Amino acid sequence: MATNDTERDEIINHLISGLQQARLSQGLSLNQVAKLSGLDQTMVGRVEKRTRQPTIDTLIKLSDALGADFPALLSAAIAHARPSELSIQKISSSHLPPTLPAQTTRPGPVTMTELAAKLGLSRLTVSAVLNNRHEALRISDKTVQRVRETAAQLGYVRNQLAIATKTGRTSSIGIIVSHFSAEWVGRILRGFLREARARNHMVVIEEVSGQESEQRALTKFMEQRLGGIFCCNLNPDGTFPEILAETSLRYSCPVVSSISHHGLPGLHVDSDDRSGMTQAAEHLWALGHRHIACLGIESDPQRTEYIVQAVRDLGGDIPEHWQLVRTIDNNQLESQTRQLLSAGGRIPTAILCATDELAAIAMRAANQAGLKIPADLSIIGFSNERSGPLLQSKLTTVAQPFEEMGKRAAERLLGEMQGDTSDPTVHAVRHELLPVTLIIRDSTGKAPRPLKK
């Protein structure tokens, strides 16, 4: 064999050895490297076993897949073989691309391999720390601190594209939400976003209205291979719940919902509305109220059911014509409430409302009917929005823990994304209900008429 051919083979063999060491230090299998590089697994195996002579182009692809510094590997290989100018020229002409990118002074992104080399640690250890898996591997707190401080100093950031290529999906989260402008929706999202960002997850938000936009948002999320989906205030018509369930299963994409259609797949995190209505009804009952009406909303009939059942459990009842529901707009409901409060004969002494907004409508209708709150009529809302204490009669209401609901939804979704089953009791709860609190203010008082025996 000619001297130049021998030197060329030595250089290539040294390159292969360097790449093999990089693969092993990262704990990657031949199959994983093949997927990352876009090469056939058999070819990768034959290259490492030296049963196939690779081109430099193949070696560059392997180097890119491993995040290795190919120019540095090549320089080390040439120095090892001590080739002549002629042999270097032959390697360039027969295996390298016609033109190689010129060296520039502009620094590139810091790789995990470079970070590991700087620290004198294995890439596996550094990866475990930066991906929050250090506790499972029992890596010391001192090492964790060193890795994180050095990563910050060097400006290291995780390569989400590489992670997605390796795992088939990203760690980003998609949120599908309707009526984004509602106060309580914003509070849920605030809790969710704070938790997600604290764990270094990027979030993409799509506001939807109708099945077409819901489907469009879902398609976009799957195209981006997002790791999980959070549905907030999503109550779709038609077949979207079934479509979401099928898509979630096909792409192994977990779903968590809050205050949304119960037919949506996955986990649900909500407030304990039944307990809230029970607390509200018991408060009115203790004040002597026996003539209680309710205002509900068409999109959530369950709250009306909870109100009626809570009053029945106390020994009372709410006549059907006292169960008013907002179906079209607030003006129609306000008119119906005013008529109810202005009717001759027996009228309600208290109104239980499914939302604080409905409670404000009830107050306005009471004022129009000439009734004073709470002397003539007690009113209770539900949600504890910021407007409650600003009303003419500060609103008694049931406070829902919106920020905590969002935070808990994020915790559950991230747990599902990471396959965390450390607490089987919690993991088995598909519909988690967080406690609510009755806040008593000025809009409730003693019943205006004595009880009939």
Side-chain angles (χ1 to χ4, degrees):
M1 180 181 292
T3 302
N4 290 339
D5 290 338
T6 301
E7 291 173 345
R8 182 196 64 199
D9 291 343
E10 286 183 13
I11 293 171
I12 292 175
N13 284 334
H14 196 79
L15 281 169
I16 293 172
S17 296
L19 293 171
Q20 185 176 23
Q21 289 176 8
R23 178 180 71 80
L24 294 174
S25 69
Q26 296 179 44
L28 297 175
S29 66
L30 292 174
N31 185 43
Q32 289 173 317
V33 174
K35 288 182 178 180
L36 290 171
S37 62
L39 299 172
D40 182 77
Q41 181 183 355
T42 304
M43 176 188 291
V44 177
R46 291 173 65 185
V47 167
E48 283 203 3
K49 292 178 181 179
R50 313 299 199 276
T51 59
R52 174 168 181 156
Q53 185 78 337
T55 64
I56 294 297
D57 183 58
T58 297
L59 295 175
I60 289 174
K61 288 182 179 180
L62 291 173
S63 175
D64 289 343
L66 294 167
D69 187 344
F70 185 78
L73 288 176
L74 180 58
S75 297
I78 292 173
H80 175 80
R82 297 177 183 267
S84 65
E85 254 184 43
L86 182 61
S87 65
I88 296 174
Q89 205 171 31
K90 184 166 184 179
I91 291 171
S92 299
S93 62
S94 60
H95 291 282
L96 288 176
T99 57
L100 288 175
Q103 292 285 346
T104 65
T105 57
R106 185 177 63 184
V110 178
T111 67
M112 193 177 291
T113 301
E114 292 170 341
L115 182 58
K118 174 77 173 177
L119 290 161
L121 299 171
S122 71
R123 190 180 186 281
L124 181 63
T125 298
V126 174
S127 174
V129 172
L130 296 177
N131 289 289
N132 297 316
R133 291 184 283 105
H134 51 279
E135 292 182 356
L137 297 180
R138 298 183 179 179
I139 298 173
S140 69
D141 293 341
K142 184 177 180 181
T143 299
V144 171
Q145 184 177 357
R146 277 185 62 213
V147 171
R148 289 177 173 170
E149 288 179 352
T150 304
Q153 290 170 3
L154 297 179
Y156 171 83
V157 293
R158 296 200 309 172
N159 187 340
Q160 293 291 353
L161 182 60
I163 294 172
T165 303
K166 181 178 177 181
T167 63
R169 62 182 181 183
T170 70
S171 62
S172 299
I173 298 168
I175 295 180
I176 303 179
V177 58
S178 64
H179 300 295
F180 191 92
S181 60
E183 178 191 325
W184 59 269
V185 172
R187 290 168 61 185
I188 290 177
L189 293 183
R190 185 185 301 120
F192 187 97
L193 291 172
R194 284 177 177 171
E195 183 65 21
R197 287 169 178 165
R199 301 195 190 190
N200 298 316
H201 288 264
M202 188 174 74
V203 177
V204 181
I205 301 177
E206 287 287 331
E207 186 176 18
V208 299
S209 178
Q211 187 160 346
E212 183 177 341
S213 61
E214 292 159 0
Q215 182 62 60
R216 188 164 54 246
L218 180 59
T219 300
K220 182 185 294 186
F221 288 168
M222 293 304 98
E223 288 174 347
Q224 297 174 1
R225 294 297 190 272
L226 298 190
I229 294 176
F230 174 51
C231 298
C232 180
N233 190 32
L234 183 64
N235 292 283
D237 296 324
T239 60
F240 186 75
E242 290 79 9
I243 294 173
L244 181 58
E246 181 182 344
T247 302
S248 169
L249 182 62
R250 179 185 300 128
Y251 289 91
S252 298
C253 182
V255 177
V256 173
S257 304
S258 185
I259 310 190
S260 296
H261 194 291
H262 286 187
L264 293 177
L267 306 175
H268 288 251
V269 177
D270 292 315
S271 60
D272 192 346
D273 292 2
R274 184 191 294 274
S275 170
M277 293 307 181
T278 299
Q279 292 178 49
E282 289 176 346
H283 173 62
L284 292 175
W285 201 263
L287 291 171
H289 293 278
R290 298 297 183 268
H291 304 150
I292 302 172
C294 69
L295 301 187
I297 49 179
E298 188 177 36
S299 60
D300 190 2
Q302 199 167 54
R303 283 192 181 176
T304 298
E305 294 173 8
Y306 290 157
I307 294 172
V308 173
Q309 188 59 51
V311 172
R312 286 176 178 171
D313 289 343
L314 292 168
D317 195 17
I318 300 180
E320 285 192 17
H321 67 284
W322 283 13
Q323 300 174 30
L324 305 182
V325 177
R326 182 180 64 192
T327 56
I328 299 177
D329 57 31
N330 291 338
N331 291 333
Q332 183 185 50
L333 180 64
E334 183 176 337
S335 175
Q336 292 173 341
T337 307
R338 184 173 61 252
Q339 291 173 18
L340 174 65
L341 298 175
S342 303
R346 190 182 72 172
I347 63 172
T349 63
I351 300 180
L352 259 172
C353 304
T355 68
D356 282 359
E357 182 183 14
L358 296 183
I361 292 172
M363 282 189 178
R364 194 159 55 205
N367 289 332
Q368 294 168 356
L371 300 178
K372 294 182 180 180
I373 301 171
D376 300 320
L377 180 71
S378 289
I379 297 176
I380 297 182
F382 200 100
S383 71
N384 191 34
E385 295 189 5
R386 293 187 181 90
S387 60
L390 304 178
L391 296 173
Q392 186 173 359
S393 295
K394 295 180 181 180
L395 182 64
T396 296
T397 186
V398 176
Q400 295 174 266
F402 292 120
E403 286 84 359
E404 181 61 27
M405 289 161 62
K407 179 179 183 294
R408 186 59 183 146
E411 291 174 344
R412 296 298 302 270
L413 181 58
L414 294 174
E416 291 286 303
M417 290 168 60
Q418 296 162 6
D420 181 13
T421 57
S422 55
D423 189 340
T425 304
V426 173
H427 187 73
V429 177
R430 308 304 295 178
H431 197 163
E432 185 173 352
L433 300 178
L434 302 188
V436 297
T437 305
L438 177 67
I439 298 179
I440 301 174
R441 298 193 182 106
D442 301 340
S443 67
T444 52
K446 290 184 178 181
R449 292 185 290 272
L451 298 176
K452 293 181 180 181
K453 296 183 179 180

